[in-house]
């Protein structure tokens, strides 16, 4: 039987685009199904760990030449303004998703990846191949499907994934600001009651301010403006920022129902990549690197599947699961513990004072939640 594609990728965010590019460079016939056009802004802290820079270079994506801000130190503060500054051992790049996803998209196009701008509505596994059906009833067949559709999608319901049944109590807000006083080499993480926010510069010189908050704390206020002035601005660093920074978006972007629950890595034979496989707490600043890294693992396993002669799907799925868990399982666990600590005001102040006294702890935390350069 002839299939339309070797690989169909559902979702053209970081994980989907990276996997598409990697596979296309190995001469596979790849289709990305993405529901939105490029470029577009996404809710994200926009700090990319340097661990993925060498791998992105190898795919022809050079972040520094896209104007990314080189970031090498961290400012961390608690709600009461207790704070510390620390060097980041590996550091990262400040680049907007608007630019980063668009660069990857254009590179994928140059490498002959096909794109279909529709909603993937259904995926059916038919023993040796897949049929993906879009919202406009287009039907596409392929040998492999990668699920790279992010944190939450109607597909999760259709696939009956376990995490979707648990209500999530997290939401996020993001906007770009003009604020020249913010150091280009810094990423800041500021705590407030029921959440925390990250600040860092992007390639355009704008400062990205993105925060995660619990519904519990948000619902007491009527809207973002009121939440910002009554809750977020309790942190003196954020108060100063909100008072002096000029918003560059007409309205902040928001997302809801953010789940940090463990997810299945292979679901109905789809290889899940990026946030579709699991989302690390944003305070670790590592979700984008994990999305890119998981795409690399998936692309390598798929290459092996097609070249080892047997095309054994069970071996492919086992290998992907094993390599994914080896790379990310511990990081996700540490991320969950850190988040718990940060959101208990008394404990987070105590933990921060400990870190101020023993700054080596911060390197240990970063090591536990980040990987080695790829
Ligand atoms: C508040 C917050 C702050 C963060 N800050 C950082 C940070 O500073 N650094 C960091 O490294 N990580 C951060 N992260 C994590 C990071 O944003 C994610 O880990 C990363 O975006 C994952 O990429 P992805 O490709 O898996 O998903 P996405 O980038 O979300 O891409 C998924 C794509 O799938 C598409 N899609 C969805 N459903 C369908 C469908 N049915 N059909 C077709 N297309 C579909 C979507 O349109 C989207 O383009 C943060 C996350 C949050 C919530």
């Amino acid at each position: 039987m002839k299939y339309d594609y070797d690989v169909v990728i559902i979702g053209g965010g970081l994980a989907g685009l990276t996997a598409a590019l990697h596979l296309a460079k190995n001469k596979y016939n790849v289709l990305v199904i993405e529901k939105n056009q490029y470029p577009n802004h996404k809710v994200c802290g926009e700090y990319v760990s340097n661990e993925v820079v060498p791998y992105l270079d190898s795919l022809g994506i050079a972040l520094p030449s896209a104007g990314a801000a080189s970031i090498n130190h961290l400012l961390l503060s608690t709600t009461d303004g207790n704070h510390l500054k620390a060097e980041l051992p590996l550091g990262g790049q400040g680049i907007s998703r608007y630019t980063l996803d668009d660069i990857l998209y254009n590179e994928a196009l140059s490498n002959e990846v096909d794109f279909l701008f529709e909603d993937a509505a259904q995926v059916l596994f038919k023993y040796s191949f897949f049929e993906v059906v879009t919202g406009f009833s287009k039907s596409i067949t392929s040998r492999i499907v990668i699920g790279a559709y992010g944190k939450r999608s109607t597909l999760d319901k259709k696939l009956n994934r376990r995490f979707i049944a648990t209500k999530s109590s997290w939401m996020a807000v993001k906007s770009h600001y003009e604020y020249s006083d913010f150091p280009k080499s810094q990423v800041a993480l500021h705590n407030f009651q029921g959440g925390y926010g990250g600040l860092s510069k992007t390639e355009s010189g704008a400062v990205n301010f993105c925060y995660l908050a619990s519904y519990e704390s948000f619902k007491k206020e009527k809207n973002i403006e009121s939440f910002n002035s009554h809750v977020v601005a309790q942190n003196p660093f954020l108060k100063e920022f909100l008072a002096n920074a000029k918003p560059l978006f007409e309205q902040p972007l928001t997302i809801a129902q953010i789940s940090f629950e463990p997810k299945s890595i292979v679901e109905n034979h789809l290889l899940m990549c990026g946030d579709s496989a699991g989302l690390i707490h944003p305070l670790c600043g590592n979700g984008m690197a994990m999305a890119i890294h998981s795409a690399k693992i998936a692309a390598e396993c798929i290459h092996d599947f097609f070249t080892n002669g047997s095309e054994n799907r069970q071996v492919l799925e086992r290998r992907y699961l094993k390599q994914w868990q080896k790379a990310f399982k511990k990081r996700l666990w540490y991320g969950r513990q850190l988040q718990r600590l940060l959101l208990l005001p008394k404990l987070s102040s105590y933990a921060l004072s400990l870190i101020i006294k023993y700054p080596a702890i911060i390197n240990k935390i970063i090591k536990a939640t980040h990987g080695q350069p790829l």
Side-chain angles (χ1 to χ4, degrees):
M1 180 172 168
K2 180 115 176 63
Y3 308 105
D4 298 323
Y5 288 91
D6 297 322
V7 183
V8 165
I9 299 172
I10 303 176
L14 289 182
L17 289 168
T18 306
L21 190 49
H22 188 133
L23 288 162
K25 282 186 184 283
N26 283 303
K27 303 289 170 220
Y28 294 106
N29 190 9
V30 181
L31 172 74
V32 174
I33 305 177
E34 166 56 52
K35 63 180 180 180
N36 294 314
Q37 297 282 340
Y38 303 94
N40 62 65
H41 285 288
K42 275 188 172 154
V43 174
C44 181
E46 304 188 330
Y47 166 85
V48 190
S49 164
N50 274 340
E51 69 198 62
V52 289
V53 167
Y55 172 58
L56 287 177
D57 273 344
S58 76
L59 293 179
I61 308 290
L63 297 189
S65 53
S70 173
I71 296 173
N72 52 31
H73 70 273
L74 168 74
L75 170 66
L76 193 64
S77 79
T78 55
T79 310
D80 56 11
N82 199 4
H83 66 280
L84 85 99
K85 280 186 179 168
E87 291 281 318
L88 289 167
L90 193 57
Q93 308 285 318
I95 184 163
S96 69
R97 293 298 299 274
Y98 185 90
T99 297
L100 179 55
D101 291 33
D102 198 44
I103 293 174
L104 278 159
Y105 165 60
N106 281 301
E107 192 62 25
L109 278 182
S110 313
N111 281 273
E112 295 177 12
V113 172
D114 283 349
F115 282 82
L116 179 63
F117 290 101
E118 282 190 35
D119 197 22
Q122 185 78 269
V123 190
L124 307 163
F125 180 65
K126 303 194 162 179
Y127 304 106
S128 61
F129 71 98
F130 291 88
E131 183 186 3
V132 182
V133 184
T134 71
F136 289 109
S137 304
K138 215 170 273 169
S139 159
I140 301 129
T141 56
S142 68
R143 288 285 282 135
I144 305 280
V145 171
I146 294 178
Y149 50 78
K151 294 170 240 330
R152 196 177 199 92
S153 162
T154 45
L155 274 178
D156 289 317
K157 261 198 185 144
K158 299 228 171 98
L159 289 165
N160 217 0
R161 298 185 84 192
R162 234 186 328 152
F163 83 92
I164 207 88
T166 315
K167 243 187 157 212
S168 164
S169 55
W170 295 101
M171 56 172 289
V173 178
K174 165 241 176 82
S175 187
H176 281 182
Y177 293 81
E178 193 182 304
Y179 183 68
S180 54
D181 283 353
F182 196 87
K184 200 174 175 187
S185 62
Q186 176 177 278
V187 58
L189 194 63
H190 299 300
N191 212 188
F192 54 82
Q193 189 73 46
Y196 51 83
L199 291 162
S200 54
K201 275 212 160 165
T202 63
E203 76 290 346
S204 66
V207 175
N208 180 42
F209 177 39
C210 181
Y211 64 76
L212 186 80
S214 67
Y215 285 126
E216 200 53 32
S217 62
F218 190 82
K219 74 180 180 198
K220 293 177 198 140
E221 305 294 328
K222 287 190 191 71
N223 51 43
I224 292 171
E225 215 182 340
S226 158
F227 187 70
N228 282 354
S229 50
H230 296 136
V231 181
V232 177
Q234 275 172 9
N235 180 307
F237 287 94
L238 294 174
K239 183 177 184 175
E240 200 274 334
F241 176 77
L242 289 169
N244 296 301
K246 182 179 155 210
L248 296 173
F249 292 179
E250 256 173 45
Q251 289 293 328
L253 301 179
T254 57
I255 49 170
Q257 290 277 344
I258 304 168
S259 171
F260 299 102
E261 294 289 312
K263 298 177 181 174
S264 41
I265 313 307
V266 179
E267 186 81 63
N268 194 26
H269 306 281
L270 274 81
L271 305 183
M272 296 297 182
C273 257
D275 288 355
S276 298
L279 172 61
I280 192 165
H281 284 280
L283 69 101
C284 302
N286 205 233
M288 287 195 274
M290 283 176 51
I292 292 166
H293 188 174
S294 65
K296 176 177 187 280
I297 296 174
E300 286 167 352
C301 290
I302 291 167
H303 182 52
D304 203 63
F305 169 84
F306 281 122
T307 49
N308 74 6
S310 64
E311 296 197 5
N312 187 324
R313 194 174 296 276
Q314 221 178 23
V315 171
L316 164 70
E317 291 173 7
R318 264 201 230 125
R319 183 168 293 162
Y320 179 61
L321 175 65
K322 201 169 159 197
Q323 291 193 22
W324 190 99
Q325 287 184 326
K326 190 169 170 228
F328 308 121
K329 205 176 166 190
K330 264 197 198 146
R331 286 195 221 180
L332 287 163
W333 184 85
Y334 276 109
R336 269 181 221 121
Q337 311 316 313
L338 262 181
Q339 165 117 340
R340 271 188 204 128
L341 186 71
L342 202 71
L343 292 178
L344 295 171
K346 280 204 181 120
L347 211 56
S348 72
S349 277
Y350 174 67
L352 203 65
S353 52
L354 256 185
I355 294 172
I356 291 167
K357 209 165 166 193
Y358 306 104
I361 299 176
I362 201 98
N363 287 352
K364 287 219 158 66
I365 295 172
I366 293 169
K367 215 169 155 196
T369 52
H370 287 66
Q372 294 299 316
L374 297 181

